[in-house]
Amino acid sequence: MARMTQRRKIHRFVLDGTGTEYPVRFKEDVLAAEEPLEIRIGGTSFAVTMRTPGDDFDLVAGFLVSEGIIRSHSELVSLRFCAGEKDGTQTFNVVEAQLRPDVPMPDTMRHVYTSSSCGICGTDSIEAVRKTIHFDPSLDGLRVPVDVLAELPERLREAQAVFDRTGGVHAAGLFKVDGSIPELLCLREDVGRHNAVDKVVGWALRQDLLPLTGLVLQVSGRASFELVQKAALAGIPILSAVSAPSSLAADLAAETGLTLVGFSRGHSLNVYSGRERLTGPRRAVPDAAISA
């Protein structure tokens, strides 16, 4: 976790409500680290993304899945850190991916730049974002009790070690929910919510688990278009978010047969697509005032 966080000396003002002088405390604060990561494919620079260092091989593998470049573990031959730009020393901010010879090389002239807040910056058009979906979430027969699904944000939060220290990272967690107690298979944290999802998908690819049928992806923030795209490309049938989805995210979820849940807060949740995957709760009584 050393590179995932950094310490900074700060001045903390405490507003005590007196309207006179405010006590000032000198202390250290822990911040989530943010550094650029350059992704190279076959020796050629393809993308630069701002991310929280850590699980970088998972991030690159998941990014390649999200870009529609690879779909299976066998297509990724190797991942390695390259020497950085400072005197040829290792900075751990450049990763090169070697693909299987028969895998078509992407258009490296596009050179994607993504910030920690946007997963599709640099994409030429919305049509280019709608990449070919290799796996079909609509065929997934997963069924989940609604109250089990509502528990996932709390279970995700309990496992967020970096957030506990910084309060400044997003999280994505992959859950197995075929029993009464959800099982967290993988959790990743990052300043970028799309990076956190890529790290989870990359972990799954490197474990040769794609497509991720029968599993739920829970995220700590909102459900944007790019997160629905990443989930669909990985074959995930249910994406659940703590906050709101965008209209385009809901459209893509309906188009791909993915169940999209938003505003999942433990006591309630909204289903924007794929209602048929949610079954009756174990305990809670549905709000009779809500009708289809």
Side-chain angles (χ1 to χ4, degrees):
M1 191 179 291
R3 293 191 68 217
M4 299 180 74
T5 61
Q6 295 182 9
R7 292 186 174 275
R8 290 287 189 276
K9 292 182 179 180
I10 66 168
H11 297 81
R12 180 178 176 86
F13 285 79
V14 181
L15 309 185
D16 59 6
T18 64
T20 54
E21 295 184 0
Y22 300 130
V24 180
R25 299 172 183 172
F26 301 93
K27 59 175 294 186
E28 276 194 340
D29 196 14
V30 180
L31 305 180
E34 182 175 24
E35 297 179 14
L37 177 69
E38 179 183 354
I39 299 171
R40 297 177 183 174
I41 301 177
T44 302
S45 181
F46 177 66
V48 176
T49 184
M50 301 301 296
R51 97 300 188 195
T52 297
D55 303 304
D56 289 328
F57 286 177
D58 287 346
L59 173 58
V60 173
F63 182 82
L64 296 178
V65 173
S66 298
E67 285 289 305
I69 297 169
I70 61 175
R71 70 182 82 173
S72 68
H73 178 261
S74 65
E75 293 177 316
L76 181 61
V77 175
S78 65
L79 292 164
R80 68 182 183 92
F81 285 107
C82 300
E85 297 298 326
K86 295 183 179 180
D87 304 320
T89 58
Q90 182 61 271
T91 63
F92 297 100
N93 282 335
V94 181
V95 172
E96 177 165 349
Q98 191 68 38
L99 306 183
R100 204 172 63 199
D102 62 317
V103 176
M105 288 290 291
D107 180 9
T108 54
M109 296 301 293
R110 185 161 70 87
H111 196 81
V112 181
Y113 171 81
T114 68
S115 71
S116 56
S117 62
C118 176
I120 57 174
C121 300
T123 303
D124 296 330
S125 66
I126 196 67
E127 287 75 20
V129 175
R130 293 181 183 271
K131 298 177 176 66
T132 300
I133 305 294
H134 301 302
F135 310 119
D136 189 352
S138 68
L139 301 178
D140 198 305
L142 176 65
R143 297 293 184 269
V144 179
V146 65
D147 57 332
V148 173
L149 189 62
E151 292 177 4
L152 300 190
E154 181 179 356
R155 293 188 177 275
L156 185 74
R157 176 64 187 85
E158 290 171 351
Q160 288 183 248
V162 179
F163 185 87
D164 284 341
R165 298 188 64 194
T166 68
V169 291
H170 291 280
L174 193 64
F175 286 89
K176 184 178 181 182
V177 291
D178 58 358
S180 60
I181 301 178
E183 178 185 357
L184 178 59
L185 302 179
C186 176
L187 177 137
R188 295 291 184 264
E189 295 179 274
D190 200 281
V191 288
R193 49 194 164 83
H194 56 87
N195 287 341
V197 172
D198 277 343
K199 287 179 177 181
V200 167
V201 172
W203 168 85
L205 177 111
R206 298 176 68 207
Q207 298 293 319
D208 202 15
L209 297 177
L210 294 188
L212 293 171
T213 55
L215 300 177
V216 178
L217 179 65
Q218 176 69 52
V219 297
S220 61
R222 66 184 182 89
S224 59
F225 176 89
E226 67 263 27
L227 295 197
V228 173
Q229 174 192 280
K230 292 174 187 296
L233 280 164
I236 297 171
I238 300 179
L239 170 61
S240 175
V242 170
S243 192
S246 68
S247 61
L248 200 57
D251 290 344
L252 183 61
E255 178 183 316
T256 58
L258 183 144
T259 297
L260 178 61
V261 174
F263 292 106
S264 182
R265 305 288 174 83
H267 59 278
S268 65
L269 52 82
N270 296 344
V271 183
Y272 297 86
S273 174
R275 161 68 179 84
E276 67 278 0
R277 287 200 176 95
L278 272 65
T279 65
R282 295 170 301 175
R283 299 181 300 274
V285 177
D287 187 345
I290 298 177
S291 58

